Amino acid sequence: MSDTTRRAFLGAAAAAGASAAALPRDARADAGSGNAPDPLLSGKELPTFKFELEKSRGKVSGLSFGKEATVEQLPISKGMAGVSMRLAPGVSRELHWHANAAEWAYVVEGRCRTTVIDPGGGSETNDFDPGDVWYFPRGHGHSIQCLGDTPCHFILIFDNGYFSEFGTFSVTDWLGHAPPALLAKNLGLPVEAFAKFPKAEVYFTHGKAPPEPAVLPHQGKFRNAPETHKYRLSVEAPHSVHPGGREWRVGQDKFPISKTITGVILELEPGGLRELHWHPNADEWQYVVAGSDLDVTLFGSHGRFRVETLGAGDVGYIPQGYGHSIENKGKGVAKLVIAFNTGHYEAIDLSAWLAANPDYLLRDTFGVPEDVVKQLPRHRVFLASKDGPGAAEPNPPR
Ligand code: MN
Ligand code: MN
């Protein structure tokens, strides 16, 4: 920043009443994508926000695979990325970390075990069943092992659409490229011992099914991390139940370590609708676990409106602040795993927004008679059914 620019910036900030403490944060926001238009989102039409993840090939090793949806595959998804991973019995996703992203996961089927280390030297080993969730903060080293004699399948979601390219660091890739003499000095083995180490990234490691329960780590004792990395989302009651569907949600309030991601399981009955809404503080990443003919709409101002139809195995992405809805036009119950890149969930729903305004203003806004306005819901709809908005919940979720 030149002196002139800096003076102009400080002057503008002072005029806006910004405190000295707020300056660095304001500067960061201006430098990031928050205020300047994203070229991808400022064209005449909205870009696609759908990717057929399970139809892609990804990285395959025998019966195990990892399929990615990053900015490579889905350019709109700059804020978040995801991976569908299947591990065959005896297979592990090797020790690695993500330099630029935290990892949130939902176990779809099978069982698996993770081990994660934090910078304080705490570590945790956890076993997961279907419906369980994990969260690994950015940069914390981890591994994932399939448990038992059936494959496991989980959806990984990252708080950065660029998480993969040059952002995933694997232990074999690192040690395979470091000089053996350096490793010998570091780890106390003879130099020759490192000749047998892999020379390239292994990614999926193969072995026997892990012992159950977990055995002690190499250091001889567990040193549990202060905050657990595991949350059993599906064993609790949904926070919101309607004729049109139900939703489970977990953010930092219930799962303290999950500071940058809130996860949601959304089930929609046939005809069910997650009403028009937007999220003031986060992008939204969607994965369809079950269902077909899910119409997801996206509104991007200037008359730009786009509909994508998602089915099982597809991914959708909603940029922060963009209006959207999800409607199950299929015959069966639809189930989605959804994540937001914030620990604190926020949404504004259309019905609640309208209901918070006076009738005369709604009448004049839409140019309709007052008796039409009077029929609008007086509560937040959240999930409508095939028959419409329905009654207010006794304890509406926040
Ligand atoms: Mn990972
Ligand atoms: Mn949403």
Side-chain angles (χ1 to χ4, degrees), residues 197-272:
F197 277 47
K199 293 298 166 221
E201 184 184 35
V202 171
Y203 198 83
F204 290 127
T205 69
H206 296 258
K208 287 194 176 118
E212 297 192 52
V215 297
L216 287 176
H218 184 67
Q219 68 196 7
K221 59 178 180 188
F222 291 110
R223 288 173 155 173
N224 279 344
E227 287 180 328
T228 184
H229 300 78
K230 175 180 175 180
Y231 191 85
R232 308 212 68 194
L233 182 55
S234 296
V235 300
E236 68 186 24
H239 74 85
S240 184
V241 180
H242 294 255
R246 54 231 137 245
E247 189 181 272
W248 292 255
R249 190 192 299 152
V250 59
Q252 198 185 345
D253 53 341
K254 290 190 288 189
F255 188 24
I257 202 169
S258 191
K259 291 183 174 60
T260 65
I261 293 186
T262 295
V264 158
I265 305 303
L266 174 64
E267 287 182 359
L268 288 175
E269 293 292 330

Side-chain angles (χ1 to χ4, degrees), residues 274 277 279 284 286 318 324 340 345:
R274 172 66 179 97
H277 66 284
H279 304 285
E284 171 172 337
Q286 310 163 335
I318 310 293
H324 57 287
F340 305 89
Y345 177 86

Side-chain angles (χ1 to χ4, degrees), residues 85 93-94 96-98 101-103 134 136 140 142-144 156 158 163 168:
M85 187 167 285
R93 173 71 180 95
E94 74 160 297
H96 67 281
W97 76 95
H98 306 283
E103 172 178 318
W134 71 71
F136 301 148
H140 293 199
H142 55 276
S143 63
I144 310 161
L156 303 167
F158 301 88
F163 95 97
T168 295

Side-chain angles (χ1 to χ4, degrees), residues 118-140:
D118 67 39
S123 57
E124 191 178 26
T125 295
N126 284 123
D127 292 355
F128 293 82
D129 288 308
D132 292 346
V133 161
W134 71 71
Y135 177 89
F136 301 148
R138 178 174 295 211
H140 293 199

Side-chain angles (χ1 to χ4, degrees), residues 89-171:
V91 173
S92 299
R93 173 71 180 95
E94 74 160 297
L95 279 68
H96 67 281
W97 76 95
H98 306 283
N100 58 2
E103 172 178 318
W104 183 97
Y106 177 83
V107 180
V108 178
E109 74 183 29
R111 297 185 305 120
C112 58
R113 173 178 296 160
T114 66
T115 296
V116 56
I117 187 161
D118 67 39
S123 57
E124 191 178 26
T125 295
N126 284 123
D127 292 355
F128 293 82
D129 288 308
D132 292 346
V133 161
W134 71 71
Y135 177 89
F136 301 148
R138 178 174 295 211
H140 293 199
H142 55 276
S143 63
I144 310 161
Q145 309 165 58
C146 180
L147 289 179
D149 53 9
T150 56
C152 62
H153 178 214
F154 44 88
I155 303 301
L156 303 167
I157 306 179
F158 301 88
D159 58 0
N160 182 350
Y162 298 83
F163 95 97
S164 180
E165 303 299 306
F166 310 112
T168 295
F169 292 66
S170 294
V171 69

